[in-house]
Amino acid sequence: MLAVPPPLFATTNIIQVFLRCDTVGQVITVGLGVFSLIAWTIMFGKHYELKRLRLLNHSFEGHLRDQRTLLDLPESYRSRRSIPYADLFADAMESYWRAAAIGKEKGVDSQRSRLEHTENALQRALARQTLRYESSMIFLATIVTGAPFLGLLGTVWGVMEAFSAVSVQQTASIQTLAPGVSAALLTTIAGLVVAIPSVFGYNYLLANSKRLITEIENYASALADRIELESQ
């Protein structure tokens, strides 16, 4: 008669293992649980933020493409600062007309001066939106890097405490050593449970943010070209 294998985790009670941990191990395990919640919050929040911004960018770009001229658009187009593409457009237009007004006051107005100010404004806005795309990524990268080391620290500490407890006994056996070692290994498991999903999420979000950065750089270049053509 074939033996029936035991169900998964039947011999392992995570709560009992956690309770066998010392104070340091419990603090590290709870801390890793908090980091896991933070990581999942960042990953879901950043995913939906990038997705929403990409849709808004494409909608705004399509609307601008349908306009016959950009230089004569009303100021209402410059108030949509929440959209990255609109933010670049607003900075470019404000800089263009500001340079034109100052140039006329001083009697040195020129197309070259207007375009130089416009390109500088686009570069500043582009850098600002790049930081916006990459925001919160440093926290996720820190969790990805730090979680396994925190788990390893808890394991090393727990193993050291287990051997220290065995050393004061008259006899040592696997029965006396195993509970302390298993409790110590719990922090390593917790660190890996936090780090493994986080590293996949980080790489996915990093690829998405790089794609959006490339798209906004192309948009800034196309916008500068169109303003130059219309200003002639």
Side-chain angles (χ1 to χ4, degrees), residues 65-139:
R65 194 180 297 113
D66 296 335
Q67 306 301 315
R68 297 186 61 183
T69 177
L70 300 182
L71 298 179
D72 297 331
L73 289 178
E75 293 188 1
S76 59
Y77 283 83
R78 308 177 194 175
S79 60
R80 307 174 186 179
R81 294 284 185 172
S82 60
I83 305 175
Y85 282 16
D87 187 43
L88 265 68
F89 175 76
D91 275 16
M93 290 295 97
E94 290 176 2
S95 181
Y96 181 88
W97 291 117
R98 188 185 304 115
I102 295 175
K104 289 180 180 180
E105 290 178 0
K106 296 182 178 181
V108 292
D109 184 27
S110 66
Q111 178 189 3
R112 179 179 179 182
S113 176
R114 295 184 185 186
L115 294 178
E116 287 180 352
H117 283 80
T118 301
E119 290 178 359
N120 291 335
L122 282 174
Q123 291 299 321
R124 291 191 297 269
L126 182 61
R128 182 170 63 249
Q129 293 303 325
T130 298
L131 292 177
R132 180 181 181 183
Y133 287 150
E134 296 177 346
S135 64
S136 303
M137 295 295 289
I138 184 63
F139 298 105

Side-chain angles (χ1 to χ4, degrees), residues 67-224:
Q67 306 301 315
R68 297 186 61 183
T69 177
L70 300 182
L71 298 179
D72 297 331
L73 289 178
E75 293 188 1
S76 59
Y77 283 83
R78 308 177 194 175
S79 60
R80 307 174 186 179
R81 294 284 185 172
S82 60
I83 305 175
Y85 282 16
D87 187 43
L88 265 68
F89 175 76
D91 275 16
M93 290 295 97
E94 290 176 2
S95 181
Y96 181 88
W97 291 117
R98 188 185 304 115
I102 295 175
K104 289 180 180 180
E105 290 178 0
K106 296 182 178 181
V108 292
D109 184 27
S110 66
Q111 178 189 3
R112 179 179 179 182
S113 176
R114 295 184 185 186
L115 294 178
E116 287 180 352
H117 283 80
T118 301
E119 290 178 359
N120 291 335
L122 282 174
Q123 291 299 321
R124 291 191 297 269
L126 182 61
R128 182 170 63 249
Q129 293 303 325
T130 298
L131 292 177
R132 180 181 181 183
Y133 287 150
E134 296 177 346
S135 64
S136 303
M137 295 295 289
I138 184 63
F139 298 105
L140 190 58
T142 302
I143 292 175
V144 169
T145 306
F149 287 103
L150 282 176
L152 181 61
L153 173 63
T155 296
V156 173
W157 179 271
V159 171
M160 182 181 67
E161 288 294 315
F163 278 103
S164 298
V166 170
S167 65
V168 299
Q169 300 178 6
Q170 296 294 333
T171 59
S173 62
I174 190 64
Q175 287 78 15
T176 57
L177 185 62
V181 174
S182 64
L185 292 174
L186 178 63
T187 57
T188 296
I189 296 174
L192 294 176
V193 168
V194 176
I196 291 174
S198 299
V199 71
F200 286 108
Y202 175 79
N203 291 331
Y204 174 78
L205 293 174
L206 183 63
N208 282 349
S209 63
K210 286 184 176 180
R211 180 179 63 178
L212 289 177
I213 291 172
T214 301
E215 290 179 353
I216 199 172
E217 288 175 348
N218 294 335
Y219 166 78
S221 178
L223 181 61

